[in-house]
Amino acid sequence: MEEQMKKIGRQMGIAMGILMSFSLSLVETLASGKFTLPSFLIAFVLSGVISVIIGIVVPVGKITADVCRKCKLERGKIGTRVVESLISDLIYTPIITLAMTAFFYKMVMIQSGGMAQLSFGPMFVKGLTIGVVVAFFLIFIFQPMLLGYFMKKNAREI
């Protein structure tokens, strides 16, 4: 049973990572004001790789369960879902946003020959603010649906 839960955790990590990467790449590329398909695809691949690694390496489900247990939150309640979503958001979003901001900052500086009047800090803060809000709602909405799907899928395989 424990091995089955680890498998579900890995599947959740990968699925949530791909969902988060796609959504954050799209939103942050659109928010930059210079949306191009290549920039979106590069952001999606970059953040996808990072988020899948996070999903495989970091036991997000175990961390959220431990925090909720310590806070005496009941599984399935709205308050518990808010806390779970916030924890996942704070694990994924800053890392993905940092990588994407660094990549695009570097690209803009290369393309401008170092003449672009950009500051990394404000770019990162803007991206992180947008990312945290968007990711929270994505996690809050899709995490329970994906968990239900993977629980049913893996129950049939037993």
Side-chain angles (χ1 to χ4, degrees), residues 56-118:
I56 292 171
V57 173
V58 179
V60 178
K62 183 178 177 352
I63 293 169
T64 57
D66 289 348
V67 170
C68 290
R69 192 172 20 266
K70 286 179 183 176
C71 294
K72 297 180 181 8
L73 297 172
E74 288 184 49
R75 194 144 181 81
K77 298 260 183 178
I78 196 85
T80 307
R81 289 199 39 228
V82 167
V83 171
E84 290 170 339
S85 298
L86 187 59
I87 292 168
S88 291
D89 191 3
L90 294 176
I91 290 171
Y92 279 95
T93 307
I95 298 168
I96 293 171
T97 303
L98 180 65
M100 288 184 359
T101 304
F103 176 77
F104 283 112
Y105 179 81
K106 179 92 171 155
M107 292 305 295
V108 168
M109 294 309 267
I110 289 170
Q111 290 172 352
S112 70
M115 302 302 288
Q117 298 296 315
L118 287 177

Coordinates of all heavy atoms in Angstrom, one line a residue, residues 56-118:
I56 N 9.1 15.0 -8.6 CA 9.6 13.7 -8.3 C 10.4 13.7 -7.0 O 10.4 12.7 -6.2 CB 10.5 13.2 -9.5 CG1 9.6 12.9 -10.7 CG2 11.3 12.0 -9.1 CD1 10.3 12.6 -12.0
V57 N 11.2 14.7 -6.8 CA 12.1 14.8 -5.7 C 11.5 15.2 -4.3 O 11.8 14.7 -3.3 CB 13.3 15.8 -6.0 CG1 14.2 16.0 -4.8 CG2 14.1 15.2 -7.2
V58 N 10.6 16.2 -4.4 CA 10.0 16.8 -3.2 C 8.7 16.0 -2.9 O 7.8 16.1 -3.7 CB 9.7 18.3 -3.3 CG1 9.1 18.8 -2.1 CG2 11.0 19.0 -3.6
P59 N 8.5 15.4 -1.7 CA 7.3 14.7 -1.4 C 6.2 15.7 -0.9 O 5.9 15.9 0.3 CB 7.7 13.8 -0.3 CG 8.8 14.5 0.4 CD 9.5 15.3 -0.7
V60 N 5.6 16.5 -1.9 CA 4.7 17.5 -1.6 C 3.5 17.0 -0.8 O 3.1 17.6 0.2 CB 4.2 18.3 -2.9 CG1 3.2 19.3 -2.6 CG2 5.4 18.9 -3.6
G61 N 3.0 15.9 -1.2 CA 1.8 15.3 -0.5 C 2.1 15.0 0.9 O 1.3 15.2 1.8
K62 N 3.3 14.4 1.2 CA 3.7 14.1 2.6 C 3.9 15.4 3.4 O 3.5 15.5 4.5 CB 5.0 13.3 2.6 CG 5.5 12.9 3.9 CD 6.7 12.0 3.9 CE 7.3 11.6 5.2 NZ 6.8 12.1 6.4
I63 N 4.5 16.4 2.8 CA 4.7 17.7 3.5 C 3.4 18.3 3.8 O 3.2 18.7 5.0 CB 5.6 18.6 2.6 CG1 7.0 18.1 2.5 CG2 5.6 20.0 3.2 CD1 7.8 18.8 1.4
T64 N 2.5 18.4 2.9 CA 1.2 19.0 3.1 C 0.4 18.2 4.2 O -0.2 18.8 5.1 CB 0.3 19.2 1.9 OG1 0.1 17.9 1.2 CG2 0.9 20.1 0.9
A65 N 0.5 16.9 4.1 CA -0.2 16.0 5.1 C 0.3 16.2 6.5 O -0.4 16.4 7.5 CB -0.1 14.6 4.7
D66 N 1.7 16.3 6.6 CA 2.3 16.6 7.9 C 1.9 17.9 8.5 O 1.6 18.0 9.7 CB 3.8 16.5 7.8 CG 4.3 15.0 7.6 OD1 3.5 14.1 7.7 OD2 5.5 14.9 7.2
V67 N 1.9 19.0 7.7 CA 1.5 20.3 8.1 C 0.1 20.3 8.6 O -0.3 20.8 9.6 CB 1.8 21.4 7.0 CG1 1.2 22.7 7.4 CG2 3.3 21.5 6.8
C68 N -0.8 19.7 7.8 CA -2.2 19.7 8.1 C -2.5 18.9 9.4 O -3.3 19.3 10.2 CB -3.0 19.2 6.9 SG -3.1 20.3 5.5
R69 N -1.8 17.8 9.6 CA -1.9 17.0 10.8 C -1.4 17.8 12.0 O -2.1 17.8 13.0 CB -1.1 15.7 10.6 CG -1.4 14.7 11.7 CD -0.7 13.3 11.5 NE 0.4 13.2 10.6 CZ 0.4 12.9 9.3 NH1 -0.8 12.7 8.7 NH2 1.5 12.8 8.6
K70 N -0.3 18.5 11.9 CA 0.2 19.3 13.0 C -0.7 20.5 13.3 O -0.8 20.9 14.4 CB 1.6 19.8 12.7 CG 2.6 18.7 12.8 CD 4.0 19.2 12.4 CE 5.0 18.0 12.5 NZ 6.3 18.4 12.1
C71 N -1.4 21.0 12.3 CA -2.4 22.1 12.5 C -3.8 21.6 12.8 O -4.7 22.4 13.0 CB -2.5 23.0 11.2 SG -0.9 23.9 10.9
K72 N -3.9 20.2 13.0 CA -5.2 19.6 13.3 C -6.3 20.0 12.3 O -7.4 20.2 12.7 CB -5.6 19.9 14.7 CG -4.6 19.4 15.8 CD -5.1 19.7 17.2 CE -4.2 19.3 18.3 NZ -3.0 18.8 18.2
L73 N -5.9 20.0 11.0 CA -6.9 20.3 10.0 C -7.5 19.0 9.5 O -6.8 18.0 9.3 CB -6.3 21.0 8.8 CG -5.7 22.4 9.2 CD1 -4.9 23.0 8.0 CD2 -6.8 23.3 9.6
E74 N -8.8 18.9 9.2 CA -9.5 17.7 8.7 C -9.4 17.7 7.2 O -9.7 18.6 6.5 CB -11.0 17.8 9.1 CG -11.2 17.5 10.6 CD -12.7 17.5 10.9 OE1 -13.4 16.8 10.2 OE2 -13.1 18.2 11.8
R75 N -9.0 16.5 6.7 CA -8.9 16.3 5.3 C -10.3 16.5 4.6 O -11.3 16.1 5.1 CB -8.5 14.8 5.1 CG -8.0 14.6 3.7 CD -6.8 13.6 3.7 NE -6.3 13.3 2.4 CZ -5.5 14.1 1.7 NH1 -5.1 15.2 2.3 NH2 -5.0 13.8 0.6
G76 N -10.2 17.2 3.5 CA -11.4 17.4 2.7 C -12.1 18.7 3.0 O -13.0 19.2 2.2
K77 N -11.8 19.3 4.1 CA -12.4 20.6 4.5 C -11.8 21.7 3.6 O -10.7 21.6 3.2 CB -12.2 20.9 6.0 CG -12.9 19.9 6.9 CD -14.2 20.4 7.4 CE -14.7 19.4 8.4 NZ -15.9 19.9 8.9
I78 N -12.6 22.8 3.4 CA -12.1 23.9 2.6 C -10.9 24.5 3.2 O -9.9 24.9 2.4 CB -13.2 24.9 2.4 CG1 -12.9 25.9 1.2 CG2 -13.5 25.8 3.6 CD1 -13.3 25.3 -0.1
G79 N -10.8 24.7 4.5 CA -9.6 25.3 5.1 C -8.4 24.5 4.9 O -7.3 25.0 4.7
T80 N -8.5 23.2 4.9 CA -7.4 22.2 4.7 C -7.0 22.3 3.3 O -5.8 22.4 3.0 CB -7.9 20.8 5.0 OG1 -8.4 20.8 6.3 CG2 -6.7 19.8 4.9
R81 N -7.9 22.4 2.3 CA -7.6 22.6 0.9 C -6.8 23.8 0.7 O -5.9 23.9 -0.2 CB -8.8 22.5 0.0 CG -9.3 21.0 0.0 CD -10.2 20.7 -1.1 NE -9.9 21.2 -2.4 CZ -10.8 21.8 -3.2 NH1 -12.0 22.0 -2.8 NH2 -10.4 22.3 -4.3
V82 N -7.2 24.9 1.3 CA -6.5 26.2 1.2 C -5.0 26.1 1.6 O -4.1 26.5 0.9 CB -7.2 27.3 2.0 CG1 -6.4 28.6 2.1 CG2 -8.6 27.7 1.3
V83 N -4.8 25.4 2.8 CA -3.5 25.2 3.3 C -2.7 24.3 2.4 O -1.5 24.6 2.1 CB -3.5 24.7 4.8 CG1 -2.1 24.3 5.2 CG2 -4.1 25.7 5.7
E84 N -3.3 23.2 1.9 CA -2.6 22.3 1.0 C -2.2 23.1 -0.3 O -1.0 22.9 -0.8 CB -3.5 21.1 0.7 CG -3.7 20.2 1.8 CD -4.8 19.1 1.5 OE1 -5.6 19.4 0.6 OE2 -4.8 18.1 2.2
S85 N -3.1 23.8 -0.8 CA -2.8 24.6 -2.0 C -1.7 25.6 -1.8 O -0.8 25.8 -2.7 CB -4.1 25.3 -2.5 OG -5.1 24.4 -2.8
L86 N -1.7 26.3 -0.7 CA -0.7 27.3 -0.4 C 0.7 26.7 -0.3 O 1.7 27.2 -0.8 CB -1.1 28.1 0.8 CG -0.2 29.3 1.2 CD1 -0.2 30.3 0.1 CD2 -0.7 29.9 2.5
I87 N 0.7 25.5 0.4 CA 2.0 24.8 0.6 C 2.6 24.4 -0.8 O 3.8 24.7 -1.1 CB 1.9 23.6 1.5 CG1 1.6 24.1 2.9 CG2 3.1 22.8 1.5 CD1 1.2 23.0 3.9
S88 N 1.8 23.8 -1.6 CA 2.2 23.4 -2.9 C 2.7 24.6 -3.8 O 3.7 24.5 -4.4 CB 1.1 22.6 -3.7 OG 0.8 21.4 -3.1
D89 N 1.9 25.6 -3.7 CA 2.2 26.9 -4.4 C 3.5 27.4 -4.0 O 4.4 27.8 -4.8 CB 1.1 27.9 -4.1 CG 1.1 29.1 -5.0 OD1 2.0 29.2 -5.9 OD2 0.3 30.0 -4.8
L90 N 3.8 27.4 -2.7 CA 5.1 28.0 -2.2 C 6.3 27.1 -2.5 O 7.4 27.5 -2.4 CB 4.9 28.3 -0.7 CG 3.9 29.4 -0.4 CD1 3.8 29.6 1.1 CD2 4.3 30.7 -1.1
I91 N 6.0 25.8 -2.8 CA 7.1 24.9 -3.1 C 7.5 25.1 -4.6 O 8.6 25.2 -5.0 CB 6.7 23.5 -2.8 CG1 6.7 23.2 -1.3 CG2 7.8 22.5 -3.5 CD1 6.2 21.9 -0.9
Y92 N 6.5 25.1 -5.5 CA 6.7 25.1 -6.9 C 7.0 26.5 -7.4 O 7.9 26.8 -8.2 CB 5.5 24.6 -7.7 CG 5.4 23.1 -7.7 CD1 4.6 22.4 -6.8 CD2 6.0 22.4 -8.7 CE1 4.5 21.0 -6.9 CE2 5.9 21.0 -8.8 CZ 5.1 20.3 -7.9 OH 5.0 19.0 -8.0
T93 N 6.1 27.5 -7.1 CA 6.1 28.8 -7.9 C 7.4 29.6 -7.7 O 7.9 30.1 -8.7 CB 4.9 29.6 -7.4 OG1 3.7 28.8 -7.6 CG2 4.7 30.8 -8.3
P94 N 8.0 29.8 -6.5 CA 9.2 30.6 -6.5 C 10.3 30.0 -7.3 O 11.0 30.8 -8.0 CB 9.5 30.6 -5.0 CG 8.3 30.3 -4.3 CD 7.5 29.4 -5.2
I95 N 10.5 28.7 -7.3 CA 11.6 28.1 -8.1 C 11.4 28.2 -9.6 O 12.3 28.6 -10.3 CB 11.7 26.6 -7.7 CG1 12.1 26.5 -6.2 CG2 12.8 25.9 -8.5 CD1 12.0 25.1 -5.6
I96 N 10.2 27.9 -10.0 CA 9.8 28.0 -11.4 C 10.0 29.5 -11.9 O 10.6 29.8 -12.9 CB 8.4 27.5 -11.7 CG1 8.4 26.0 -11.5 CG2 8.0 27.8 -13.2 CD1 7.0 25.4 -11.5
T97 N 9.4 30.4 -11.1 CA 9.5 31.8 -11.5 C 10.9 32.4 -11.5 O 11.3 33.1 -12.4 CB 8.6 32.7 -10.5 OG1 7.3 32.2 -10.5 CG2 8.6 34.1 -10.9
L98 N 11.7 32.0 -10.6 CA 13.1 32.4 -10.5 C 13.8 31.9 -11.8 O 14.5 32.7 -12.5 CB 13.8 31.9 -9.3 CG 15.3 32.2 -9.2 CD1 15.5 33.7 -9.0 CD2 15.9 31.5 -8.0
A99 N 13.6 30.6 -12.2 CA 14.3 30.1 -13.3 C 13.8 30.8 -14.6 O 14.7 31.2 -15.5 CB 14.1 28.6 -13.4
M100 N 12.5 31.0 -14.7 CA 12.0 31.6 -16.0 C 12.4 33.1 -16.0 O 12.8 33.6 -17.1 CB 10.5 31.5 -16.0 CG 10.0 30.1 -16.3 SD 8.3 29.7 -16.5 CE 7.4 31.2 -16.3
T101 N 12.4 33.8 -14.9 CA 12.8 35.2 -14.9 C 14.3 35.3 -15.3 O 14.7 36.2 -16.1 CB 12.5 35.9 -13.6 OG1 11.1 35.7 -13.2 CG2 12.9 37.3 -13.6
A102 N 15.1 34.5 -14.7 CA 16.6 34.5 -15.0 C 16.8 34.2 -16.4 O 17.6 34.9 -17.1 CB 17.3 33.5 -14.1
F103 N 16.1 33.2 -17.0 CA 16.3 32.9 -18.4 C 15.9 34.0 -19.3 O 16.7 34.4 -20.2 CB 15.5 31.6 -18.7 CG 15.6 31.3 -20.2 CD1 16.7 30.7 -20.7 CD2 14.5 31.6 -21.1 CE1 16.8 30.3 -22.0 CE2 14.6 31.3 -22.4 CZ 15.7 30.7 -22.9
F104 N 14.7 34.6 -19.1 CA 14.3 35.7 -20.0 C 15.1 37.0 -19.8 O 15.3 37.7 -20.7 CB 12.8 35.9 -19.8 CG 12.0 34.9 -20.5 CD1 11.2 34.0 -19.8 CD2 12.0 34.8 -21.9 CE1 10.5 33.0 -20.5 CE2 11.3 33.8 -22.6 CZ 10.5 32.9 -21.8
Y105 N 15.5 37.2 -18.6 CA 16.4 38.4 -18.3 C 17.7 38.3 -19.1 O 18.1 39.2 -19.8 CB 16.7 38.5 -16.8 CG 17.6 39.7 -16.5 CD1 17.1 41.0 -16.3 CD2 18.9 39.5 -16.2 CE1 17.9 42.0 -16.0 CE2 19.7 40.5 -15.9 CZ 19.2 41.8 -15.8 OH 20.1 42.9 -15.5
K106 N 18.2 37.1 -19.0 CA 19.5 36.8 -19.8 C 19.3 36.9 -21.3 O 20.1 37.5 -22.0 CB 20.0 35.4 -19.4 CG 21.2 35.0 -20.1 CD 22.4 35.3 -19.3 CE 23.6 34.6 -19.9 NZ 24.8 35.3 -19.5
M107 N 18.2 36.4 -21.8 CA 17.9 36.5 -23.2 C 17.7 37.9 -23.7 O 18.2 38.3 -24.7 CB 16.6 35.7 -23.6 CG 16.8 34.2 -23.4 SD 18.2 33.5 -24.3 CE 17.7 33.8 -26.0
V108 N 17.0 38.7 -22.9 CA 16.8 40.1 -23.2 C 18.1 40.9 -23.2 O 18.4 41.7 -24.1 CB 15.7 40.8 -22.3 CG1 15.7 42.3 -22.5 CG2 14.3 40.2 -22.5
M109 N 18.9 40.6 -22.3 CA 20.2 41.3 -22.2 C 21.1 40.9 -23.3 O 21.8 41.7 -23.9 CB 20.9 41.0 -20.8 CG 20.1 41.6 -19.7 SD 19.8 43.3 -19.9 CE 21.2 44.1 -19.1
I110 N 21.1 39.6 -23.7 CA 21.9 39.2 -24.9 C 21.4 39.8 -26.2 O 22.2 40.4 -27.0 CB 21.8 37.6 -25.0 CG1 22.6 37.0 -23.9 CG2 22.3 37.2 -26.4 CD1 22.5 35.5 -23.8
Q111 N 20.1 39.8 -26.4 CA 19.5 40.4 -27.6 C 19.7 41.9 -27.7 O 19.8 42.5 -28.8 CB 18.0 40.1 -27.6 CG 17.7 38.7 -27.9 CD 16.2 38.4 -27.8 OE1 15.4 39.2 -27.4 NE2 15.8 37.1 -28.2
S112 N 19.8 42.6 -26.5 CA 20.0 44.0 -26.5 C 21.5 44.4 -26.4 O 21.8 45.6 -26.4 CB 19.2 44.7 -25.4 OG 19.8 44.4 -24.1
G113 N 22.3 43.5 -26.4 CA 23.7 43.8 -26.2 C 24.0 44.3 -24.9 O 25.0 45.1 -24.7
G114 N 23.2 44.0 -23.9 CA 23.4 44.5 -22.5 C 22.9 45.9 -22.3 O 23.1 46.5 -21.3
M115 N 22.2 46.4 -23.3 CA 21.7 47.8 -23.2 C 20.2 47.9 -22.7 O 19.7 49.0 -22.5 CB 21.7 48.4 -24.6 CG 23.1 48.5 -25.2 SD 24.3 49.3 -24.1 CE 23.8 51.0 -24.4
A116 N 19.6 46.8 -22.5 CA 18.2 46.8 -22.0 C 18.1 47.5 -20.6 O 18.9 47.2 -19.8 CB 17.6 45.5 -22.0
Q117 N 17.1 48.3 -20.4 CA 17.0 49.0 -19.1 C 16.0 48.2 -18.3 O 14.9 48.5 -18.0 CB 16.4 50.4 -19.4 CG 17.3 51.3 -20.2 CD 18.6 51.6 -19.4 OE1 18.6 51.9 -18.2 NE2 19.7 51.5 -20.1
L118 N 16.5 47.0 -17.8 CA 15.7 46.1 -17.0 C 16.4 45.9 -15.7 O 17.7 45.9 -15.6 CB 15.6 44.7 -17.7 CG 14.7 44.6 -18.9 CD1 14.8 43.2 -19.5 CD2 13.3 44.9 -18.5

